[in-house]
Amino acid sequence: MALYRYRCNAHGAFDLTTPIGTAPATAPCPGCATASARQYTAPMLGRGADTAMSLIDRTRATADAPAVVSAPPRRPASQRTPLAPPNPALRRLPRP
Ligand SMILES: [Zn+2]
């Protein structure tokens, strides 16, 4: 099925879904039943939201060519997680 756009002079554009290749040159307007001419528009290939489509594309790309790194990313000292202070109870444990 494909979505075709028609334009009524009184009510504006409307869409009609028909099998590919069977779209008539004119279609009746849903508002006034006047024969409306077909409009030729760009194909609607990416109808999803930009963020969602970008995420889907990146996910597919990693399936074919995953990014391999040799080491974890190095953070600046200001962004590193601070080490926990030493626990005083550990000093009382027996030493080997
Ligand atoms: Zn109309």
Side-chain angles (χ1 to χ4, degrees):
M1 298 297 271
L3 188 70
Y4 297 96
R5 175 152 292 185
Y6 293 86
R7 181 163 192 82
C8 172
N9 291 333
H11 297 101
F14 63 93
D15 296 327
L16 183 68
T17 303
T18 63
I20 293 176
T22 62
T26 61
C29 170
C32 61
T34 304
S36 305
R38 182 176 164 194
Q39 284 188 315
Y40 291 91
T41 59
M44 297 181 192
L45 298 177
R47 296 190 73 180
D50 288 344
T51 305
M53 294 303 290
S54 173
L55 179 62
I56 291 169
D57 290 344
R58 281 186 279 140
T59 302
R60 285 186 185 150
T62 58
D64 296 334
V68 178
V69 296
S70 59
R74 186 98 176 132
R75 290 190 202 169
S78 61
Q79 295 180 357
R80 290 186 198 152
T81 304
L83 296 175
N87 188 344
L90 296 178
R91 279 190 241 142
R92 292 184 300 228
L93 291 175
R95 302 282 175 195

